[in-house]
Every structure is written in structure tokens, then in C-alpha cells.
């Protein structure tokens, strides 16, 4: 099975850490969901989605593990996950310190963010789903603060990667999105906006990277991984691209992270 997987190369040196941003290739789904759709909530045949999870985990060398997902709501609810389960509940971020728990975030343009930290006695992993609404709500910053409060991990010890998402090249927005972002995040939002061809475009990854840095994650620990989802139809699902094309029906791809319990 030929998967597209983007990873942060330097993280490979971390024993037991598994992470990646998986593209749309290599699954069993058909039509608008072709082929590795991993969402049960976008109208695809659930049997195909189930097969896709099995095939993906097998190809990643993670057969037999569970990839925990959440019912994403474009909000700022953070879920703590203590053991492997199918779905952690409604939320847009998940955190675990349990080995063997792999967290998955499903996207098709929104920014998937995966984070980790390792202290002497504790390994933490987190995923964040940041579209413009979640970004406005500050979900990435709130997750960093939550990790410090609840797990005792300082922001300076976190490493984060922002995966394939719609880029500045393609993400045209209106004043209904730009204005509230600038009101909330000021110069950080302005730096992520660009005016061209009488339109306004947003670099959602850049804004989230800036917000992670503002929350105390060192800039050298913040990585961008993978290209624009809307520009790369063969590699990635893109909600905006398919919406422009008419139907707006598309699949979701997975970003994931966790610590193996076998070291
Ligand atoms: Zn693009």
C-alpha cells in the first residue's frame, strides 16, 4: 500500500514516538472519498472507512493499535484521553500521557497540529484541529496552557508540527473571517493576511505557528510539514477546492501522534 506520509525528519530520533500526516492515497473508498478517507461523518461507506483504518495502520506499522478520534466542532474544547478508545467525545484537541494511545486529527484544509514532550517520568502527546473558527477561539494556545496545568509540561519543552492545510496561495477569505481574527490576534493575524487581486488571503498555518510561539513554544520547536491541501488534489482532500468544484463533498485525511508502549 502506497501511503503519502509527511513527517518531521528530526523527530525520528525520538525512541517510541510515532507521528505523521497521511494523505489520501492507498485506501478503499471511491468517488469523492477516493481513496483513504478516514472520516465516518462525511457520507462515505462505513465499511470502506473501517477498512481504510486497518490498511493505514498496517502500512504505518501500527496494526493492532487504536487511533483515537474526536467529533470535531471548530471550537476550543480539549479532551484528556487516558486509554485507547474509538472516539474521545466532542472536541478540537486531545491530550494523553498514556503509552500506546495514538491520537488522530481529521482534516481537509483546516490545520492539523501534533505536539509532544518527553520528561524523565512522563511522555505527552497532543493533537489540535485548527480551522479559522478554532484559531479565533485560540484552541492551540489553550491546549499548550492545558498541557502545562494538567500534565506539568512547560511550553518550552513542547515540540509541535503543523501539517498539510490550505495555504496562503488558495485560502481567500472575506471580512467576516479577517475582521474577527484581527480584532482577536492583532499584529499576529495581520502578518498572516495578504491582499492581492482584490481579495484577502489567510495563511492559517502561519497564524497558528505564531500563536503557539506566543504561548511559549520555542520557535525552533515549531515545524511546518507538507504542502497546501487545495493545490495538491492527487495527494490531499480539500474542502475548499471541492466546494469550488460544485459539490463540496470530500473525505478527510489523518494526522496522528502517540508513544508506542513497547519503547
Ligand atoms: Zn494552494
Amino acid at each position: 500500500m502506497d501511503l503519502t506520509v509527511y513527517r518531521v525528519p528530526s523527530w525520528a530520533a525520538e525512541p517510541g514516538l510515532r507521528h505523521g500526516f497521511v494523505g489520501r492515497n492507498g485506501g478503499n473508498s471511491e468517488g469523492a472519498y477516493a481513496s483513504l478517507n478516514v472520516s465516518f461523518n462525511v457520507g462515505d461507506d462505513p465499511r470502506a472507512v473501517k477498512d481504510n483504518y486497518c490498511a493505514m495502520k498496517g502500512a504505518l506499522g501500527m496494526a493492532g493499535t487504536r487511533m483515537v478520534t474526536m467529533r470535531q466542532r471548530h471550537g476550543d474544547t480539549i479532551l484528556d484521553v487516558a486509554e485507547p478508545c474509538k472516539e474521545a467525545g466532542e472536541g478540537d484537541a486531545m491530550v494523553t500521557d498514556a503509552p500506546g494511545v495514538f491520537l488522530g486529527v481529521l482534516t481537509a484544509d483546516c490545520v492539523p497540529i501534533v505536539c509532544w514532550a518527553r520528561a524523565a517520568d512522563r511522555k505527552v502527546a497532543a493533537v489540535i484541529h485548527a480551522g479559522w473558527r478554532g484559531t479565533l477561539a485560540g484552541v492551540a494556545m489553550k491546549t499548550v496552557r492545558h498541557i502545562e496545568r494538567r500534565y506539568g509540561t512547560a511550553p518550552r519543552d513542547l515540540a509541535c508540527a503543523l501539517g498539510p492545510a490550505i495555504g496562503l496561495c488558495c485560502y481567500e477569505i472575506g471580512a467576516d473571517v479577517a475582521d474577527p481574527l484581527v480584532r482577536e490576534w492583532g499584529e499576529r493575524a495581520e502578518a498572516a493576511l495578504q491582499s492581492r487581486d482584490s481579495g484577502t488571503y489567510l495563511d492559517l498555518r502561519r497564524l497558528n505557528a505564531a500563536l503557539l510561539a506566543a504561548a511559549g513554544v520555542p520557535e525552533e520547536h515549531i515545524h511546518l510539514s507538507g504542502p497546501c491541501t487545495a493545490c495538491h488534489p492527487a495527494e490531499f482532500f480539500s474542502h475548499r477546492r471541492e466546494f469550488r468544484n460544485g459539490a463540496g463533498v470530500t473525505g478527510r485525511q489523518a494526522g496522528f501522534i502517540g508513544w508506542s508502549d513497547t519503547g
Side-chain angles (χ1 to χ4, degrees):
M1 178 177 178
D2 242 355
L3 286 189
T4 304
V5 190
Y6 284 86
R7 293 190 179 90
V8 179
S10 59
W11 291 8
E14 196 58 42
L17 181 70
R18 298 284 187 85
H19 82 287
F21 299 102
V22 183
R24 68 186 292 179
N25 295 306
N28 301 304
S29 294
E30 296 175 350
Y33 309 109
S35 59
L36 191 67
N37 167 50
V38 287
S39 174
F40 287 98
N41 302 314
V42 292
D44 192 8
D45 178 355
R47 286 167 305 185
V49 180
K50 204 162 169 248
D51 288 348
N52 288 343
Y53 271 102
C54 288
M56 176 176 73
K57 286 186 290 186
L60 291 167
M62 293 166 59
T65 63
R66 264 249 156 90
M67 193 176 288
V68 183
T69 58
M70 55 191 164
R71 288 195 300 284
Q72 297 169 185
R73 288 291 184 263
H74 297 284
D76 60 0
T77 300
I78 301 159
L79 305 167
D80 296 295
V81 183
E83 53 192 48
C85 58
K86 192 167 168 231
E87 199 176 72
E90 282 190 10
D92 287 279
M94 290 187 285
V95 187
T96 191
D97 63 352
V101 173
F102 295 93
L103 306 175
V105 53
L106 311 187
T107 60
D109 286 342
C110 291
V111 183
I113 306 174
V114 302
C115 308
W116 62 273
R118 179 174 50 79
D121 57 344
R122 177 171 263 175
K123 293 171 175 175
V124 173
V127 294
I128 304 165
H129 167 246
W132 77 265
R133 285 190 178 84
T135 304
L136 180 63
V139 64
M141 278 179 140
K142 286 174 180 170
T143 304
V144 171
R145 292 194 192 116
H146 177 86
I147 291 171
E148 181 164 36
R149 263 200 318 272
R150 167 104 186 208
Y151 298 85
T153 299
R156 68 173 176 275
D157 294 327
L158 277 176
C160 300
L162 297 83
I166 193 166
L168 188 62
C169 41
C170 293
Y171 192 25
E172 185 174 9
I173 58 169
D176 58 322
V177 173
D179 292 352
L181 284 173
V182 169
R183 269 199 301 277
E184 185 66 28
W185 301 121
E187 286 176 0
R188 292 189 183 95
E190 280 166 7
L193 293 171
Q194 188 185 71
S195 295
R196 65 173 198 265
D197 310 329
S198 72
T200 303
Y201 292 79
L202 172 60
D203 189 338
L204 200 51
R205 287 208 291 194
R206 178 175 173 167
L207 178 52
N208 275 283
L211 294 175
L212 287 167
V217 181
E219 276 177 37
E220 64 271 24
H221 294 185
I222 301 173
H223 306 267
L224 300 186
S225 185
C228 168
T229 44
C231 284
H232 294 81
E235 277 190 287
F236 296 107
F237 297 112
S238 165
H239 183 264
R240 172 65 72 101
R241 182 184 65 228
E242 300 312 326
F243 193 75
R244 274 203 210 103
N245 291 345
V249 175
T250 192
R252 298 289 182 276
Q253 50 242 347
F256 72 93
I257 194 163
W259 295 90
S260 146
D261 50 8
T262 52

